[in-house]
Structure formats: C-alpha cells, structure tokens
Amino acid sequence: MPYWSLGFHQCRWGYRNVSVVEDVVDNYQKAKIPLDVIWNDADYMDGYKDFTLDLVNFPHAKLLSFLDRIHKMGMKYVVIKDPGIGINASYGVYQRGMASDVFIKYEGKPFLAQVWPGPVYFPDFLNPKTVSWWGDEIRRFHELVPIDGLWIYMNEVSNFCSGLCIIPEGKQCPSGGEPGVTCCLDCKNITNTSWDDPPYKINATGHKAPLGFKTIPTSAYHYNGVREYDAHSIYGFSEAIATHKALLAVQGKRPFILSRSTFVGSGQYAAHWTGDNQGTWLSLQVSISTMLNFGIFGVPMVGSDICGFFPPTPEEICNRWIEVGAFYPFSRDHADYYAPRKELYQWGTVAESARNALGMRYKLLPFLYTLNYEAHMSGAPIARPLFFSFPEFTECYGLSKQFLLGSSLMISPVLEQGKTQVEALFPPGSWYHMFDMTQVVVSKNGRLFTLPAPFNVVNVHLYQNAILPMQQGGLISKEARTTPFSLVVAFPAGASEGYASGKLFLDDDELPEMKLGNGNSTYIDFYASVGNESVKIWSQVKEGQFALSQGLVIEKVIVLGLKGTWKVSEILLCGSSVSNETKTIEVSSKEQMYVVGSEDEGESKSFMVELKGLEMLVGKDFNISWKMASTNVLSMAGNEVIAR
C-alpha cells in the first residue's frame, strides 16, 4: 500500500456537490484533525453510471480546481465504482462493453440484473477482453478526473433482483428520485438446474434461499464455460486484479484499491473494509475481531466504517470509535446517505478524541508503514491478536477486545456505554503508556488490570524489549514523514540487564514495487542493550541511500525502564565523546510511576531518560552509549545540557 493510504480517510454517501466536499476538507483543517484522503461515493456520477461525471453538481472545471488544490497539499482523492454497467444505448461505456463482448452470459445472452443505475450487465473479469476493456475505461476516466485510487463496491456480486429478469414494458425502471434497492424488473425464479437449486440451502440472508438469491444465478457462464457456481467467490478478487492492473498502467504508481468482496489472495491487490456496519456498541466491538480475522486471512489493510455507516450514531459511540479506528490499519470515517453527518469535527468531544488518537497515529506512521512492508514480505498481519506475540499465555487466546499493532503495541479501548475505565489483560512483562511514558504497567505473570479511560483517552501501551521509530506527526502524511525521528527504547522496568530491537522501512511509496535493492528504499535494524550500568543503542542500515537523499535524522531517543539512577556520566556518539562535538545534547529524566502491578517489586524504581538534539542520519549506521553514574558525577535538576 502507498504511504498516504495509512493516513486518515473521510467519506460519506451524500456529499452531493463539489462545494460540500470542499467544505469537509476545510472543516478538518479548521478543527486541526489529520486528513489525508477525501472520498466520493456515487454522488459524483451521472445517474449512478460508472466512469461518468454529474456535470451539474460536479462541474468538471470546479472539480479539477478542487483536486489541484488538495493535490498540491499532498491530499488524495478516491471514488467508488460498482461492477454493474447501466444498459443505455447512449452510454459509451456500455456501447464499448457490448462491442467487446465483456459481460457474463445466461443462455447465450448477457445476464440482466439491477443495481443503482437500474438495469445492468455484469463484466466478466475472467475474460481477458474484459480486463482490457475495464483498463481502457479507467484510463478514459482518469483523463477526465485525476483520481488517486478506486473503491470497488457491490462486487459479491450484489443484485437487487433474483432469477431470470426482463425489463418491463410501459413503466420506468427505476422510477427515479432517491436511491432505492427495490427490484423493478420482471423476474422469475431459476430452479431448473441442480446448480441453481441444489439439495442444500444457504442462510446468508436470514432465511434459506437459493444460491442465486440477490446475485448472479449459479448456472450463468463466465469466459471459457466457467459456471458462476464455481466462480462466484472470486468475482471481487478478479475485479481487484483487473483494477490494480489498470491503475498501474494509467498512473505508473503503486495502486490503492478498496474492495468490499475479497477472497484468498485479495490482500495482494486491495484493502478491505467490513461493509455497512451499524453505529452501535456491538458493531464497535465486532470491528476488532473482524479486523483481526481478516489480517489472519491475508488481508492486512483492513478497517470498519468509523462511527458506523448507519443509523444515527450517538456522540459517545463516535467518541470511543475514533479511539479504536485511529489504530485500524485502514482508518476511514464513512456514513450512509440517510444518516446524519458524522465527520469527526461535528462534535466537540469527538474532535478532541480524534486530535488525540489520530495525532498518535500520525506519529506512528513510520512504524505502521514498516508493518505494511512486513505484511508484504511475510504475510504477517498489521493488526494482530495478542496470542500472536504471547502464544504461551493462554489467557489471551479468546481475547477480541484488545489488539496489537505489530508485535509490541497494544490498544485497549473502551467498548461499552458509560464506561470511564477499561479492564485490560496484560501479558507478562512491562508495558509503557504511549501518551505518558512515565506510566508503566508491570505484569509479572500476566493478569487483568483496571485502567482509567475518561473521555478523549485511549490506552495504548508499548511492550518491553521493543524499539519504536516515531516522527513528530502532523495533519497530513506528506508533511509528517519529513519530520525528525524519535526512537523509543523499552527495557523491562527496573531490570539490571535488558535488550531491545526494532526496525524501520522507508521508500519512495509511489514506486510499484515495495522492495530493497532498487536504490529508492532503506531498511534499518535498531538494537539496544543495558547492563553494567551502561546503555548502548545502535543501528545497522541496508541500502541507506534513499534515507540519506531525504535528509532524515534521528533527533531524539527516549529510553524507558532504566534502573537505579538517571544520572548520565558521559555520552559517546559513534565512539566520540559528545563533549568533542559541535552539537548540543539535551538530557532529561523522569521517574516512572508504576500505575498498576509491581506488587512484588518492593521499592524498585525505574527512570525514563531522554536525549534530544542528536541529529543522527537515519541512512547511516550509528551507535550511542552512556554510563549511568552511581555517584553525583553530574549535577542535574531534572534537565541538563551537555555542550561543547
């Protein structure tokens, strides 16, 4: 996935004209809430027809002016596409599709269905001619509107009708007006084959229905005689592959695609969201297990509609939802046509929670992007169940109300109404609060702890033995990724000896391939150790040219869990004493507070030490070390400046 896709996304079905979309972007900026991507649902289309533009509500010149403005800011624009192609003799997309014979057949004719434009035919993405035609239509539309990604929807396939249908004579279908889902075709059931009416039924709709209910009949045919019965589950997957190929050809950049329908392998081509979820506490809770499952299924870029798609969502739910959704791999607010507005700036408390939670997300973008690279290389999910990192701690096996990002960052959100505390399970070890690193939870054997969680507060904890690369954040990823880095080094709290490691991947995210060895990417392993009253932190860089070309620096290191004293006697940077350097290093320290746990630790203490002003190049190996003085070698009152 491109770097910008890890930023925050805003969408709604019901942004009826360009001015409304402009207003949304402006309000996010006024509220100082991060936003990377603005979306349009079907509102921008002419009569819900793919690859068209409503020139009344989305005048071409005005839309292009808006896109030029946001593109200069670094923001992106994504629009929806449904697979159903409206049957209309004056519609060029339909004309070219018929000429190329690209549609799924039933009894030798294109199969007739109904979706938003009314009567439609469905493209057969197993047909090479369809892939070429689809790519050409995307090229034509991209020349009209310079989109940055595509959202492929209704691709299960979803059909408002069932069975074999004809367009009724003497009545308008659909009748016009507001969007609706009622079938207006004349249809009859197809039950004359064992494919359409097998001796078993499915219960996907709440009642036992034929396999072809509200979709393509299973006796329909794809390219080369493949039955829909055998191809149904890969329709969305095949569309994602065709769309990925098309965007890559048109843009020459790494594509971003969001697909509702997925299959094994979809994660290589598309992100996924979990469909039209409700704005309820139950849907908020279920969003976590759904996200974790999809990561295990091989779809790492996944999330649910933040604040719920429908119906009206109470402020409290939206407040708590952004505290979870800010840490989904794919983080998007989306709402229904008929639902009240749910942008994060609509409520004061929600805006505050958004600034807090998304503010942390944008600091963590380099960490999330590195997890994106790890998912690409190994298949490991971005968001993971706790048992992935703690397989021997069996108490976490059934846990779906907390989750990890990577192997070491744990999110423990509020998921129930009226709660200002959260019961969180902490596997054995030391856990540091990311919003106040002086707070540490020490869990010797692993157990539940009750944590304060007032409004606008989300509990995010970093596990011991980890090194977390962070940047300074911002309101857009383009700016955030240029800011100086910090390294957060987490040792076991109060341990005499300890070890930690982390990693960082950086690249030109517009390149189609995400890999090392192309001259446009850098990978760094970070290591740290504590022992014999000394701390050492160092890096090993692979392919450092890209990071060097970006001028990226590590400006600060924060070391957590140090035992005994915070006093620093001498700092060595790449083997040389800092006292011989021209730079100024600011050293500060705070005692850490054992929020819960450490019941068997007696009077044990630990400290957080911060070194600021380092200016170490990310793309070059470094090592930094210092002694923790046991005597009053240096006189400090919580803050010291070491200068040449």
Side-chain angles (χ1 to χ4, degrees):
M1 294 290 154
Y3 199 97
W4 57 263
S5 68
L6 291 165
F8 183 68
H9 304 241
Q10 178 62 53
C11 183
R12 181 176 186 261
W13 184 20
Y15 289 154
R16 300 182 184 218
N17 55 54
V18 178
S19 297
V20 173
V21 184
E22 288 178 318
D23 185 63
V24 171
V25 171
D26 291 343
N27 279 320
Y28 266 95
Q29 292 178 318
K30 290 175 186 175
K32 298 191 182 304
I33 299 172
L35 179 65
D36 257 79
V37 193
I38 187 70
W39 295 54
N40 262 127
D41 206 309
D43 308 281
Y44 76 94
M45 296 178 179
D46 176 17
Y48 298 100
K49 298 191 297 293
D50 279 349
F51 307 112
T52 64
L53 194 62
D54 176 354
L55 295 177
V56 174
N57 294 304
F58 288 81
H60 191 223
K62 187 172 183 178
L63 179 60
L64 289 183
S65 176
F66 166 68
L67 294 182
D68 182 60
R69 177 167 73 92
I70 66 167
H71 283 152
K72 286 177 180 176
M73 294 162 50
M75 287 184 62
K76 306 296 182 180
Y77 182 59
V78 176
V79 297
I80 198 169
K81 291 276 179 273
D82 295 335
I85 300 299
I87 299 170
N88 186 321
S90 63
Y91 175 33
V93 179
Y94 166 76
Q95 294 171 345
R96 291 185 289 270
M98 289 296 290
S100 297
D101 191 23
V102 301
F103 299 114
I104 291 172
K105 302 286 181 58
Y106 186 85
E107 295 182 342
K109 299 178 181 178
F111 172 72
L112 178 67
Q114 180 192 332
V115 202
W116 303 115
V120 300
Y121 294 152
F122 290 124
D124 174 11
F125 291 103
L126 300 186
N127 187 338
K129 290 191 298 184
T130 307
V131 175
S132 297
W133 162 82
W134 186 252
D136 184 60
E137 298 301 337
I138 288 176
R139 177 191 61 78
R140 290 169 183 265
F141 184 73
H142 190 271
E143 290 174 355
L144 181 71
V145 181
I147 54 168
D148 299 290
L150 281 174
W151 173 16
I152 52 178
Y153 185 55
M154 305 286 281
N155 53 353
E156 289 74 24
V157 157
S158 183
N159 180 2
F160 295 164
C161 302
S162 296
L164 185 61
C165 305
I166 60 172
I167 299 174
E169 295 183 6
K171 75 171 184 178
Q172 185 178 350
C173 175
S175 59
E178 297 297 304
V181 297
T182 302
C183 179
C184 61
L185 302 177
D186 287 340
C187 304
K188 63 180 181 180
N189 288 335
I190 304 175
T191 58
N192 58 341
T193 75
S194 59
W195 309 110
D196 294 297
D197 191 25
Y200 52 84
K201 299 290 185 288
I202 58 172
N203 196 34
T205 60
H207 66 278
K208 293 180 179 178
L211 291 180
F213 181 76
K214 293 295 183 77
T215 186
I216 299 170
T218 45
S219 56
Y221 279 92
H222 292 255
Y223 175 72
N224 209 23
V226 175
R227 284 190 184 90
E228 169 68 8
Y229 184 92
D230 297 311
H232 176 80
S233 294
I234 61 170
Y235 190 89
F237 182 33
S238 61
E239 185 190 12
I241 294 172
T243 306
H244 191 278
K245 181 178 180 179
L247 284 177
L248 189 57
V250 168
Q251 299 174 320
K253 300 176 182 179
R254 192 177 304 168
F256 174 77
I257 300 160
L258 183 72
S259 179
R260 189 166 82 175
S261 178
T262 56
F263 193 68
V264 177
S266 290
Q268 181 179 349
Y269 300 96
H272 175 66
W273 95 109
T274 59
D276 296 343
N277 56 328
Q278 294 183 318
T280 63
W281 291 103
L282 178 59
S283 289
L284 171 57
Q285 294 167 16
V286 171
S287 76
I288 295 177
S289 56
T290 311
M291 169 185 66
L292 297 178
N293 283 332
F294 267 91
I296 295 170
F297 299 158
V299 184
M301 189 68 163
V302 60
S304 294
D305 285 345
I306 293 169
C307 295
F309 181 69
F310 70 97
T313 305
E315 179 179 353
E316 183 184 358
I317 293 181
C318 203
N319 191 308
R320 293 306 191 183
W321 208 315
I322 186 56
E323 293 176 356
V324 183
F327 301 98
Y328 294 154
F330 172 63
S331 183
R332 184 185 71 158
D333 182 304
H334 180 41
D336 183 25
Y337 187 93
Y338 300 103
R341 298 285 288 268
K342 299 181 184 180
E343 294 85 5
L344 300 179
Y345 53 76
Q346 297 288 349
W347 301 274
T349 64
V350 176
E352 184 61 29
S353 288
R355 284 188 287 268
N356 195 37
L358 288 173
M360 178 58 69
R361 180 189 181 91
Y362 273 61
K363 292 177 183 178
L364 293 169
L365 285 176
F367 171 66
L368 288 170
Y369 193 66
T370 302
L371 292 176
N372 183 28
Y373 173 71
E374 187 176 340
H376 172 62
M377 297 301 293
S378 72
I382 295 173
R384 306 174 188 177
L386 269 63
F387 68 76
F388 264 49
S389 288
F390 303 96
E392 296 180 0
F393 184 53
T394 57
E395 287 86 344
C396 69
Y397 279 15
L399 186 65
S400 60
K401 293 187 176 181
Q402 298 166 249
F403 60 95
L404 293 169
L405 292 176
S407 60
S408 57
L409 200 66
M410 184 169 71
I411 291 83
S412 306
V414 172
L415 302 171
E416 297 176 62
Q417 184 176 6
K419 299 289 186 180
T420 55
Q421 293 180 321
V422 63
E423 263 204 349
L425 183 66
F426 281 81
S430 302
W431 296 86
Y432 299 90
H433 201 301
M434 287 300 299
F435 289 91
D436 181 358
M437 295 180 196
T438 63
Q439 297 186 27
V440 57
V441 173
V442 177
S443 176
K444 183 179 180 184
N445 298 311
R447 66 180 181 89
L448 282 168
F449 293 104
T450 300
L451 304 176
F455 260 23
N456 312 130
V457 171
V458 57
N459 281 282
V460 181
H461 288 84
L462 177 65
Y463 189 56
Q464 65 185 40
N465 307 326
I467 299 178
L468 185 66
M470 300 176 67
Q471 287 177 284
Q472 293 179 0
L475 296 180
I476 192 166
S477 66
K478 179 182 178 181
E479 298 171 357
R481 72 181 303 191
T482 65
T483 60
F485 277 83
S486 299
L487 296 181
V488 181
V489 180
F491 292 123
S496 300
E497 295 183 352
Y499 182 79
S501 63
K503 52 201 169 189
L504 175 64
F505 177 81
L506 303 163
D507 74 348
D508 178 351
D509 71 310
E510 293 196 337
L511 290 176
E513 289 194 78
M514 191 182 207
K515 65 178 184 179
L516 284 172
N518 57 12
N520 290 282
S521 56
T522 293
Y523 184 88
I524 306 107
D525 284 305
F526 297 111
Y527 303 96
S529 65
V530 59
N532 298 321
E533 296 187 339
S534 67
V535 176
K536 298 178 182 178
I537 306 167
W538 68 99
S539 70
Q540 293 179 355
V541 178
K542 298 176 184 176
E543 305 287 340
Q545 301 94 321
F546 175 75
L548 291 172
S549 72
Q550 302 300 301
L552 298 170
V553 297
I554 299 167
E555 191 263 348
K556 180 167 60 176
V557 297
I558 303 167
V559 183
L560 309 175
L562 294 177
K563 182 182 180 181
T565 177
W566 48 262
K567 295 186 177 70
V568 176
S569 61
E570 183 182 21
I571 299 173
L572 298 178
L573 185 56
C574 296
S576 299
S577 173
V578 168
S579 61
N580 296 325
E581 298 284 336
T582 58
K583 64 184 65 176
T584 298
I585 307 296
E586 184 178 328
V587 181
S588 62
S589 176
K590 293 180 181 178
E591 183 176 346
Q592 291 179 302
M593 179 174 63
Y594 287 46
V595 182
V596 287
S598 72
E599 60 277 351
D600 56 344
E601 297 293 327
E603 296 299 317
S604 177
K605 292 182 179 181
S606 63
F607 293 87
M608 177 180 86
V609 173
E610 178 181 300
L611 276 66
K612 189 175 180 181
L614 296 170
E615 297 182 2
M616 301 181 298
L617 292 172
V618 172
K620 186 176 180 181
D621 289 352
F622 73 83
N623 61 75
I624 184 169
S625 63
W626 67 87
K627 288 282 186 181
M628 295 182 293
S630 56
T631 59
N632 192 18
V633 175
L634 300 172
S635 177
M636 297 171 64
N639 192 56
E640 175 189 358
V641 174
I642 300 176
R644 183 171 182 266

